[in-house]
Amino acid sequence: MHSVEGLDAVVLGSAVYLGHWLEPARKLAESFADELGRVPVWLFSSGPVGEQRRPAEEPVVVEDLVRRLNARGHRLFGGRIDRRTLEFPERAVVAALRVADADNRDWPTIRAWGREIGTSLARLERSVS
């Protein structure tokens, strides 16, 4: 991607590994931060999977990104682990953390969030017209 010019809004997200977005997603957000700050942006994270051992801690660190992009919000959705799709280092981490294969995605909640974004964009369009 060379530019986000011409986009009316952006929904940007990443899988979460060890509490952080994947590097390509972080780099994209950082590279286009100024441009993204000028359009409505929503962020999401896919993960974690399994039980959270320390529920008081945030499972993903995105506060700075939310602030820098002037995002309208961040949502955390459950993730999916399928060892068959993982590279060896990822399988090793999953094994070390004793995370079972699982699909914790809640599709009705994800779809509802998408509808909320659509409603928000429709309101923006009406207010600009």
Side-chain angles (χ1 to χ4, degrees):
M1 179 177 254
H2 300 289
S3 173
V4 294
E5 186 176 330
L7 299 179
D8 295 324
V10 173
V11 177
L12 177 63
S14 175
V16 175
Y17 284 105
L18 301 173
H20 297 279
W21 274 21
L22 298 178
E23 186 176 345
R26 283 193 324 262
K27 282 186 174 181
L28 185 138
E30 291 165 4
S31 296
F32 297 107
D34 292 337
E35 293 173 68
L36 290 169
R38 293 190 287 270
V39 297
V41 173
W42 287 266
L43 303 176
F44 71 92
S45 298
S46 176
V49 296
E51 297 244 348
Q52 295 303 301
R53 295 182 187 193
R54 295 177 278 181
E57 293 183 10
E58 282 295 316
V60 61
V61 179
V62 292
E63 296 82 14
D64 289 340
L65 193 56
V66 168
R67 203 171 17 262
R68 182 150 187 231
L69 301 181
N70 196 27
R72 301 196 175 216
H74 170 261
R75 289 290 298 266
L76 175 64
F77 299 110
R80 180 178 85 116
I81 291 287
D82 180 351
R83 280 177 175 71
R84 296 171 301 171
T85 65
L86 301 177
E87 302 279 331
F88 176 73
E90 296 167 321
R91 284 195 311 271
V93 169
V94 167
L97 295 175
R98 298 180 182 195
V99 176
D101 282 8
D103 188 345
N104 297 318
R105 297 173 294 181
D106 180 347
W107 290 109
T109 299
I110 295 167
R111 285 186 195 99
W113 182 65
R115 284 190 295 275
E116 288 173 22
I117 292 171
T119 300
S120 220
L121 289 170
R123 278 191 217 120
L124 284 172
E125 180 66 26
R126 282 193 300 270
S127 70
V128 170
S129 302

